[in-house]
């Protein structure tokens, strides 16, 4: 029989956005660096089958895994903290659970039984949790939402039942709550936490540990009061105080000796995590030696959560290069030919991130033109690469109507076009046409890119012959224009079975466009080479 996986169930109380994902990932990091095999799962009670069709305005970034799953952005934090590549098994929603159960019902798998939330929906949730934990020492299970939400009930029932099945030494509950500070009274308040734990108890879950999110440190007396009123041991009340960098959280937890009670409850023996590399990188995030400023040109700049992986990957690169990277957020809709010089004159590099739709495109193209003409380091990601090609075609090759069919279906010079079919991340052929629905027609997940030798791309990937990076886009660069590009000094430096994956400009300080999203594979301890190369060029430029 295979070894029993131990579960750590993380729930949230009082309100959302307390950083449950970061807390879960931080605990995972400490356990992994103690030598355990750790994985992590996010169960989301909302009804969407996956977040792929959700607006970034509502849900922040859609994170993409190697196997092409479009997931909650918390999975990005998990990968960045744990330094593990996760898969579609690491995130599921109510919608996904119901789809599976209804499919089984239609197939007749339930032999005529009445299908109910208990046992069928809850049973499917338990199955999915078990599957995600297979072969691991520890599986951390984060339940999305807040205790008390109606839609969260089947998930809480599932973890209650699973813990009853495996016993306390194989399953513990951690509850994350808010300890608000009431200014006029000058006091931190524990009542919401008590109520939230009361709510959990009604469902049959007694937390083993409370993590308290607060603006300021909690004194011993307050911690003991929480322990007493919530029924946990005194060393099981952990504070999570607002900090300058999220990467400080694992270190702050470690300082409070969080692993001792976890190891006791789950019978893990003594745990001694090696956090020395992490610690030195965090020191450089807080107090770096160098500095550089880059223009981040995008259309969701009021919603920085929609560029989460990218901004984090820039922090990773900065930490590894011992530099502070200041981002000058530029709203692409506000850039025009009159103000572009003024906006970009004091930056060390220009970054155009991915995006969908025509809004803000002309401003992005102006910023790219500026970077190309002023020998300013440029990195274009996904749409940022597509627009760099359009800019080059229009302004260097003088193809005036060069465009993407995303913006003009009938355009005569489709620099960016739709291909009829492609092989997906699972090796299956996908047929794609103008009429394809929005969901499920993108090139998603990791694709191998062959790198042309002696290019800048080859240099930043340490002369690797090929590299795998993740994708999320519908349109492709049209290879028909390749000879014209190359004659004029723009080279295709990366290709995947004839698809254009990367471009660069000859003789420019640093001008790269990539069709993939390199930010998805960046981790604090392993920054992505493309982002690292770009930031390094910007630092050089700053000097
Ligand atoms: N809109 C473009 C496409 O679908 C680019 C997508 C992106 O930047 N992620 O191909």
């Amino acid at each position: 029989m295979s070894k029993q996986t131990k579960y750590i169930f993380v729930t949230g109380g009082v309100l959302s956005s307390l950083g449950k994902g970061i807390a879960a990932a931080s605990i995972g990091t400490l356990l992994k660096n103690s030598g355990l095999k750790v994985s992590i799962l996010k169960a989301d009670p909302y009804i969407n089958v996956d977040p792929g069709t959700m607006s970034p305005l509502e849900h922040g970034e859609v994170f993409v895994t190697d196997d092409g799953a479009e997931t909650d952005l918390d999975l990005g934090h998990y990968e960045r903290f744990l330094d593990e590549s996760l898969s579609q098994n690491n995130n599921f929603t109510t919608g996904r659970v119901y789809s599976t159960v209804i499919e089984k019902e239609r197939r007749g798998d339930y032999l005529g039984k009445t299908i109910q939330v208990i046992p069928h929906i809850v049973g499917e949730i338990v199955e999915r949790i078990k599957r995600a934990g297979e072969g691991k020492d520890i599986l951390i299970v984060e339940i999305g939402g807040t205790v008390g939400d109606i839609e969260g009930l089947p998930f809480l029932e599932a973890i209650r039942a699973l813990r009853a099945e495996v016993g306390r030494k194989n399953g513990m509950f951690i509850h994350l709550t808010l300890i608000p500070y009431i200014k006029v009274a000058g006091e931190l308040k524990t009542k919401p936490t008590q109520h939230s734990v009361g709510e959990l108890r009604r469902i049959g879950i007694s937390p083993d540990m409370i993590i308290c999110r607060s603006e300021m440190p909690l004194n011993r007396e307050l911690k003991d009061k929480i322990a007493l009123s919530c029924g946990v041991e005194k060393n099981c009340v952990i504070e999570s105080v607002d900090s300058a960098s999220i990467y400080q959280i694992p270190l702050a937890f470690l300082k409070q000796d969080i692993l001792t009670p976890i190891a006791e409850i789950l019978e893990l023996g003594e745990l001694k995590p090696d956090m020395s590399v992490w610690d030195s990188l965090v020191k450089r995030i807080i107090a770096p030696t160098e500095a550089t400023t880059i223009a981040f040109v995008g259309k969701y700049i009021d919603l920085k959560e929609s560029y989460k992986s990218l901004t984090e990957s820039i922090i990773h690169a900065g930490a590894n290069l011992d530099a502070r990277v200041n981002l000058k957020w530029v709203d692409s809709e506000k850039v025009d030919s009159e103000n572009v010089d003024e906006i970009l004159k004091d930056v060390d590099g220009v970054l155009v991130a991915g995006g969908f739709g025509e809004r803000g495109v002309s401003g992005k193209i102006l910023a790219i033109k500026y970077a190309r003409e002023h020998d300013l380091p440029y990195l274009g990601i996904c749409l940022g690469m597509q627009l760099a090609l359009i800019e080059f075609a229009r302004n260097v090759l003088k193809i005036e109507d060069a465009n993407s069919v995303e913006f003009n279906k009938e355009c005569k010079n489709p620099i960016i076009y739709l291909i009829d079919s492609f092989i997906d991340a699972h090796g299956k052929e996908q047929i794609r046409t103008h009429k394809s629905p929005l969901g499920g027609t993108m090139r998603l997940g990791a694709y191998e890119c062959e790198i042309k030798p002696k290019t800048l791309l080859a240099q930043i990937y340490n002369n690797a012959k090929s590299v795998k990076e993740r994708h999320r886009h519908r349109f492709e660069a049209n290879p028909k224009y390749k000879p014209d590009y190359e004659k004029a000094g723009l080279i295709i430096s990366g290709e995947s079975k004839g698809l254009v994956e990367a471009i660069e400009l000859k003789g420019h300080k640093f001008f790269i466009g990539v069709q993939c999203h390199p930010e998805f594979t960046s981790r604090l301890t392993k920054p992505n080479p493309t982002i690292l190369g770009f930031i390094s060029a910007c630092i050089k430029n700053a000097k």
Side-chain angles (χ1 to χ4, degrees):
M1 212 187 84
S2 63
K3 207 172 73 188
Q4 172 66 55
T5 303
K6 294 177 188 277
Y7 302 101
I8 298 179
F9 303 108
V10 182
T11 54
V14 184
L15 41 89
S16 60
S17 304
L18 291 180
K20 212 174 348 128
I22 303 285
S26 297
I27 293 169
T29 306
L30 294 175
L31 292 169
K32 182 174 175 190
N33 287 322
S34 304
L36 293 164
K37 264 196 265 165
V38 183
S39 192
I40 196 156
L41 165 74
K42 172 92 189 272
D44 279 311
Y46 53 74
I47 317 282
N48 303 57
V49 174
D50 62 44
T53 53
M54 283 164 118
S55 159
L57 305 174
E58 236 179 81
H59 210 253
E61 169 186 272
V62 175
F63 186 75
V64 179
T65 56
D66 273 343
D67 64 349
E70 298 181 281
T71 73
D72 187 85
L73 58 75
D74 269 333
L75 246 75
H77 286 308
Y78 298 166
E79 287 205 354
R80 290 187 279 274
F81 273 69
L82 280 186
D83 184 18
E84 293 272 330
S85 289
L86 303 173
S87 77
Q88 56 188 0
N89 291 337
N90 298 89
N91 183 207
F92 65 83
T93 66
T94 294
R96 175 78 68 199
V97 170
Y98 271 79
S99 303
T100 312
V101 170
I102 291 170
E103 226 171 81
K104 283 192 199 163
E105 184 271 338
R106 294 287 85 184
R107 263 202 323 253
D109 290 8
Y110 298 112
L111 306 172
K113 284 229 160 40
T114 309
I115 311 306
Q116 294 177 299
V117 172
I118 299 175
H120 301 99
I121 295 297
V122 167
E124 176 64 28
I125 296 173
V126 169
E127 273 320 298
R128 282 177 178 265
I129 295 176
K130 285 183 177 170
R131 214 179 304 147
E134 267 165 28
K136 302 289 175 187
D137 297 321
I138 308 268
L139 179 71
I140 299 178
V141 181
E142 180 196 344
I143 306 296
T146 309
V147 168
D149 298 345
I150 292 177
E151 59 202 20
L153 282 175
F155 291 85
L156 296 175
E157 171 57 18
I159 60 174
R160 186 201 64 74
L162 182 51
R163 146 78 173 256
E165 181 189 322
V166 299
R168 191 170 188 246
K169 69 169 191 211
N170 291 316
M172 69 178 285
F173 295 113
I174 298 184
H175 191 53
L176 181 94
T177 74
L178 175 72
I179 306 289
Y181 177 71
I182 306 298
K183 245 196 226 137
V184 282
E187 257 182 273
L188 286 162
K189 292 294 191 185
T190 65
K191 193 71 83 191
T193 297
Q194 295 178 40
H195 280 300
S196 174
V197 169
E199 189 73 28
L200 257 185
R201 284 236 181 80
R202 260 172 10 113
I203 312 163
I205 294 175
S206 292
D208 301 293
M209 177 178 278
I210 309 280
I211 297 181
C212 305
R213 208 31 226 284
S214 94
E215 276 174 52
M216 56 186 72
L218 314 183
N219 61 30
R220 191 66 258 171
E221 199 187 333
L222 203 76
K223 283 186 184 169
D224 290 352
K225 182 176 164 193
I226 294 167
L228 186 68
S229 60
C230 298
V232 302
E233 297 291 330
K234 285 184 176 173
N235 65 348
C236 287
V237 178
I238 305 290
E239 66 186 25
S240 180
V241 181
D242 296 354
S243 54
S245 162
I246 52 173
Y247 299 102
Q248 288 172 296
I249 310 282
L251 302 171
F253 282 178
L254 188 62
K255 241 197 209 145
Q256 297 173 69
D257 207 10
I258 194 174
L259 289 184
T260 299
I262 292 178
E264 256 164 37
I265 295 168
L266 296 178
E267 299 182 4
L268 295 169
E270 200 188 349
L271 299 178
K272 282 199 178 136
D274 177 4
M275 296 297 287
S276 50
V277 175
W278 190 281
D279 190 45
S280 64
L281 288 168
V282 168
K283 288 204 174 90
R284 288 175 172 197
I285 293 177
I286 307 298
T289 322
E290 321 240 18
T292 182
T293 301
I294 63 171
F296 191 119
V297 187
K299 71 172 170 183
Y300 301 123
I301 58 160
D302 298 330
L303 295 139
K304 309 210 164 61
E305 288 289 287
S306 51
Y307 300 114
K308 197 74 202 165
S309 292
L310 190 47
T311 50
E312 291 303 316
S313 70
I314 293 169
I315 292 173
H316 304 163
N320 283 271
L321 295 165
D322 197 10
R324 177 172 325 280
V325 185
N326 302 308
L327 298 182
K328 175 169 181 173
W329 291 93
V330 177
D331 181 347
S332 53
E333 283 189 273
K334 301 215 170 94
V335 179
D336 56 37
S337 50
E338 302 285 291
N339 62 18
V340 62
D341 292 20
E342 186 58 31
I343 293 174
L344 298 179
K345 71 168 199 281
D346 54 359
V347 300
D348 307 314
V350 174
L351 171 66
V352 173
F356 293 83
E358 196 173 10
R359 196 159 58 81
V361 156
S362 68
K364 289 181 182 175
I365 291 180
L366 285 168
I368 295 167
K369 179 167 185 270
Y370 183 94
R372 181 177 57 77
E373 291 179 345
H374 291 78
D375 202 18
L376 198 57
Y378 173 73
L379 177 61
I381 291 178
C382 207
L383 183 64
M385 177 194 96
Q386 298 177 354
L387 296 181
L389 287 175
I390 294 173
E391 191 278 319
F392 193 82
R394 285 184 191 168
N395 299 324
V396 180
L397 304 182
K398 304 292 177 204
I399 308 175
E400 270 164 37
D401 62 347
N403 212 338
S404 164
V405 297
E406 181 175 10
F407 315 132
N408 176 6
K409 273 192 188 154
E410 264 77 54
C411 104
K412 296 276 174 306
N413 275 295
I415 297 295
I416 308 301
Y417 73 151
L418 266 183
I419 51 173
D420 301 334
S421 72
F422 65 100
I423 306 297
D424 72 11
H426 304 277
K428 268 207 281 186
E429 187 179 16
Q430 295 283 339
I431 309 293
R432 190 162 48 173
T433 68
H434 276 303
K435 292 193 201 83
S436 298
L438 283 186
T441 57
M442 284 204 260
R443 188 145 77 97
L444 287 166
Y447 284 84
E448 187 116 22
C449 157
E450 283 152 40
I451 302 176
K452 189 170 176 167
K454 302 204 179 77
T455 56
L456 184 55
L457 193 71
Q459 195 187 318
I460 60 181
Y461 278 97
N462 232 335
N463 294 321
K465 289 204 168 53
S466 74
V467 60
K468 264 188 160 181
E469 294 287 0
R470 298 180 196 171
H471 290 244
R472 182 171 187 259
H473 55 101
R474 202 166 280 121
F475 301 89
E476 304 286 346
N478 192 340
K480 185 178 116 184
Y481 298 89
K482 186 174 167 182
D484 300 327
Y485 294 143
E486 305 214 317
K487 247 185 265 153
L490 184 147
I491 46 178
I492 312 289
S493 50
E495 279 180 85
S496 164
K497 300 197 177 86
L499 296 174
V500 175
E501 301 287 38
I503 59 157
E504 62 188 60
L505 274 184
K506 263 199 232 156
H508 192 285
K509 237 182 238 161
F510 186 105
F511 190 104
I512 286 191
V514 287
Q515 186 61 78
C516 64
H517 287 270
E519 68 271 24
F520 286 146
T521 54
S522 179
R523 282 109 200 234
L524 178 60
T525 46
K526 270 188 213 127
N528 178 281
T530 302
I531 313 279
L532 195 72
F534 171 60
I535 299 300
S536 160
C538 295
I539 295 170
K540 255 186 233 144
N541 206 29
K543 283 180 183 164

